Amino acid sequence: RTGRITSYQVLKAWLYKLDSTPISGKTITFKVDGSLVGSDVTRSTGLAQIGYTIPDGAGEGVRPILAEWAGDGGFLPSSVTNNLTVQKARIYIWVMSKSVKQGTNAPLYAYFRRLKDYQPQTNKPVDFKIDGTVVASVLTDGTGVARHSYLTLDPVGAHTIRCEFYGDAWLEAGFGEGTLNVL
């Protein structure tokens, strides 16, 4: 399986006899990266499956999936290992547009969320840029908001506010933009 952090995956395993006959009614347990994530009973086709939402864990990378059956009086135990390739989550940054008089402070802020669960991203470094020039490097606060008070010495008119994140082990790089109207 391959998926992004926060994505939903279905982990599957089949249990068969050596003659390729499916074995039903047996409990298969699933572990990801050594942690138990659930179990399911095999169907008439020998299939067992569970739903799994990829957590943050150690970030992007490969995590082993283990499906195990403990065996019983009629059959020996069986297990199989495969890989879950974890990709970084995508992000959403929403930048509030502002209109302020020249020479005053513009309270700039941007909401930083992880997709697809929209979890606020705290303590993440972001750059505020005005027309492509970095004016501040800040960390998002405890609610996932980046804030900066910007003194508007720019010419009268519309300017682009860009809030940019450069990525880490858990999140893709990304940005959001708004407009600073200097009056």
Side-chain angles (χ1 to χ4, degrees):
R1 292 281 181 241
T2 297
R4 294 189 179 279
I5 293 170
T6 73
S7 73
Y8 181 82
Q9 302 294 313
V10 178
L11 307 181
K12 299 178 181 182
W14 285 263
L15 187 60
Y16 288 95
K17 296 179 189 176
L18 289 177
D19 67 0
S20 298
T21 305
I23 303 171
S24 65
K26 305 300 179 184
T27 301
I28 306 293
T29 59
F30 293 86
K31 295 179 181 176
V32 175
D33 213 11
S35 297
L36 179 66
V37 295
S39 62
D40 188 33
V41 176
T42 56
R43 294 153 181 74
S44 61
T45 60
L47 171 67
Q49 65 183 22
I50 63 164
Y52 178 69
T53 300
I54 300 174
D56 291 338
E60 80 172 328
V62 177
R63 301 177 193 170
I65 304 168
L66 174 65
E68 304 181 280
W69 179 57
D72 62 19
F75 300 99
L76 293 173
S78 183
S79 66
V80 65
T81 301
N82 212 323
N83 290 320
L84 172 63
T85 302
V86 177
Q87 300 167 327
K88 297 176 183 184
R90 290 192 172 112
I91 65 168
Y92 174 74
I93 298 176
W94 181 77
V95 178
M96 178 69 171
S97 292
K98 290 286 179 177
S99 293
V100 296
K101 291 184 180 183
Q102 188 179 43
T104 63
N105 283 322
L108 305 179
Y109 59 94
Y111 294 94
F112 188 162
R113 303 291 184 259
R114 176 179 72 185
L115 298 175
K116 71 183 186 183
D117 61 1
Y118 291 94
Q119 178 183 11
Q121 296 302 293
T122 62
N123 212 30
K124 296 292 182 180
V126 295
D127 283 350
F128 275 102
K129 296 179 178 180
I130 303 294
D131 294 333
T133 300
V134 176
V135 296
S137 295
V138 301
L139 293 176
T140 55
D141 64 19
T143 63
V145 177
R147 301 172 195 277
H148 175 64
S149 181
Y150 176 69
L151 180 59
T152 57
L153 300 177
D154 308 273
V156 170
H159 302 274
T160 301
I161 308 166
R162 183 175 174 129
C163 190
E164 192 163 356
F165 173 71
Y166 300 103
D168 62 18
W170 300 271
L171 302 168
E172 293 281 354
F175 66 91
E177 291 184 337
T179 301
L180 174 63
N181 289 309
V182 179
L183 310 172

